[in-house]
Amino acid sequence: MNDEILYTLALTRMTGFNFQTALQLYQELGGGRAVYEHRNDIRDVLPDCSPRLAEALRDWSESLARAEAEMAFIQKHKIKTLLLGQPDYPQRLSECPDAPLLLFYMGTADLNQTRVINVIGTRHATTYGHDLIRRLMADLHAMGLRPLVVSGLAYGVDVCAHREALGQGFETVGVLAHGLDELYPPRHRETAKQMLQQGGLLTEYMSQTRADKLNFVKRNRIVAGICDATILVESAAKGGGLITCGIAQDYDRAVFAYPGAVGAPYSEGCNNLIRNNGAQLITSAQDLVEAMGWQMDVERQKAAEQGIERQLFPNLSAEEQIIVNVLSEIGDLQLNMLSVKTNVPIGKLTALLFQLEMKGIVRPLAGGTYHLLTL
């Protein structure tokens, strides 16, 4: 695996950090090492490869040297490398057409939890925005829900979301626009340290990568793609939060926004987004829970706390029960992963899932993922 990571690291540099090109080469040839092995006959196996790129792919010496240095950095600092297609890679993100080949991760949180949300917005958050975030986290906690909370560790809404999540005992992950050898902004270092013990830090960038403006825009696709829902708290008429909402829409993910006072500069973006049907209006955690279909999860949690035992699904077939058991134990799963875990062929599994959906037991989510509604 380390060998494949090394060549994949080098591939991202060989393609001039054009992640879309790197992804295409990686997928069509089957891995970073495979691209390296075909460096001298790339146009024979990929006729559409441009002459310029084919020539650039011939000499890997400089890129491999840089990749080897990065591997040493990764090992020294105990950084996890998440390779596209591997089980520990964020499965929601892997469904996106521009998913990074590699992610670098430090932390304790499972990135494939049952419920993952991001909370984003302006860097100039007001008291109103802070209060909304505080109430959202507190109410989710009161309902017994424990979502993984994702944001960008920036000033304003981002860092407020991380801190309120930490305060409620939620795991929270910051998606960075630079390598893991630095932290921007430095003022949030203490918060980041807490997150390493109760969440984590995630990036697609190697060490020695500066926090350039373009990197912040690119990282927004990870913030959107790794989550079930994007929640915009406050935004001016233009801003990075709106970009993330647009990406989330393209990924067919749920997008929500809190409304604000007419004329308030940092509610204008939210109000416009809601007016133009770019986001669902929410005013509370309850709105979010109902829109996402998590109400049954809340009721199940309350029942568990009260010690209520119920005989559920008495009419399930043996194969349907296996599916329910797997989803109950692991959480939401994509169709192909569910097939592996249940040992049921995809064709038959699809029919069984349809029956369970008709019974109100499972619900299909974006990207072919299935969610258990009741336990």
Side-chain angles (χ1 to χ4, degrees):
M1 180 57 69
N2 284 347
D3 195 45
E4 179 59 33
I5 291 171
L6 174 69
Y7 284 102
T8 302
L9 276 169
L11 174 62
T12 62
R13 296 187 64 86
M14 293 296 298
T15 52
F17 299 101
N18 185 324
F19 297 109
Q20 198 66 46
T21 299
L23 179 62
Q24 181 183 4
L25 289 168
Y26 183 90
Q27 291 178 329
E28 293 195 17
L29 288 175
R33 185 178 180 87
V35 179
Y36 173 77
E37 291 173 346
H38 286 287
R39 64 192 181 279
N40 293 319
D41 62 349
I42 194 74
R43 298 199 74 191
D44 292 338
V45 291
L46 287 178
D48 293 338
C49 181
S50 70
R52 182 178 179 180
L53 178 58
E55 184 60 33
L57 288 172
R58 290 183 183 278
D59 184 6
W60 286 56
S61 55
E62 182 179 342
S63 293
L64 279 173
R66 177 65 180 89
E68 288 170 353
E70 189 66 17
M71 290 291 286
F73 174 81
I74 288 168
Q75 292 168 4
K76 178 180 179 180
H77 295 280
K78 297 181 172 58
I79 295 170
K80 301 172 187 176
T81 51
L82 310 179
L83 187 62
L84 182 66
Q86 296 301 310
D88 54 354
Y89 189 94
Q91 294 304 307
R92 294 169 178 84
L93 184 61
S94 68
E95 300 161 8
C96 304
D98 50 0
L101 287 178
L102 268 174
L103 291 167
F104 306 101
Y105 180 52
M106 296 178 70
T108 59
D110 177 3
L111 301 178
N112 287 303
Q113 296 185 31
T114 302
R115 290 175 290 273
V116 186
I117 62 173
N118 66 61
V119 179
I120 56 172
T122 178
R123 298 186 179 206
H124 306 283
T126 68
T127 301
Y128 170 67
H130 287 178
D131 288 344
L132 290 176
I133 296 168
R134 188 176 302 113
R135 190 173 68 187
L136 172 67
M137 299 299 173
D139 288 352
L140 287 171
H141 183 274
M143 291 177 180
L145 296 177
R146 299 290 187 273
L148 174 63
V149 179
V150 176
S151 199
L153 202 58
Y155 290 110
V157 167
D158 285 19
V159 73
C160 181
H162 291 306
R163 289 170 178 167
E164 291 299 329
L166 289 169
Q168 294 295 337
F170 301 164
E171 292 180 312
T172 181
V173 169
V175 182
L176 308 180
H178 51 76
L180 289 172
D181 55 332
E182 62 173 300
L183 185 76
Y184 180 85
R187 188 179 297 180
H188 297 164
R189 192 169 299 279
E190 287 304 313
T191 300
K193 287 181 180 178
Q194 293 180 56
M195 292 167 64
L196 290 175
Q197 304 302 317
Q198 192 179 319
L201 302 175
L202 182 72
T203 184
E204 64 180 316
Y205 296 107
M206 295 185 192
S207 62
Q208 302 178 39
T209 303
R210 295 180 179 178
D212 294 331
K213 183 177 180 179
L214 184 60
N215 291 353
F216 284 98
V217 176
K218 287 182 177 179
R219 70 96 183 266
N220 289 345
R221 80 190 195 283
I222 299 176
V223 174
I226 202 173
C227 299
D228 301 305
T230 290
I231 303 168
L232 185 65
V233 176
E234 286 188 299
S235 174
K238 295 182 179 180
L242 293 172
I243 294 174
T244 305
C245 288
I247 296 170
Q249 282 184 299
D250 290 341
Y251 291 161
D252 197 24
R253 304 296 161 81
V255 179
F256 302 95
Y258 281 95
V262 174
Y266 294 112
S267 290
E268 190 175 354
C270 292
N271 291 343
N272 290 343
L273 195 65
I274 294 167
R275 182 193 65 210
N276 296 327
N277 297 318
Q280 297 182 59
L281 183 152
I282 57 170
T283 61
S284 66
Q286 185 65 38
D287 292 344
L288 171 69
V289 167
E290 291 179 359
M292 293 300 296
W294 294 342
Q295 191 61 42
M296 293 300 297
D297 296 337
V298 174
E299 293 175 5
R300 183 173 69 249
Q301 178 66 25
K302 289 179 179 178
E305 291 173 356
Q306 295 170 6
I308 298 174
E309 294 184 2
R310 296 175 295 170
Q311 183 183 7
L312 298 172
F313 311 145
N315 299 320
L316 293 186
S317 69
E319 290 177 317
E320 288 174 336
Q321 189 64 56
I322 290 172
I323 295 169
V324 169
N325 291 345
V326 169
L327 291 175
S328 173
E329 180 181 349
I330 300 177
D332 297 357
L333 283 174
Q334 200 174 15
L335 181 63
N336 58 349
M337 289 299 296
L338 186 55
S339 176
V340 171
K341 296 294 184 181
T342 59
N343 198 30
V344 177
I346 285 181
K348 188 171 186 179
L349 180 61
T350 301
L352 290 168
L353 286 167
F354 178 75
Q355 293 173 17
L356 289 171
E357 185 182 351
M358 292 301 99
K359 293 177 181 180
I361 295 171
V362 302
R363 178 167 66 92
L365 303 176
T369 298
Y370 285 84
H371 173 70
L372 185 64
L373 290 173
T374 313
L375 291 179

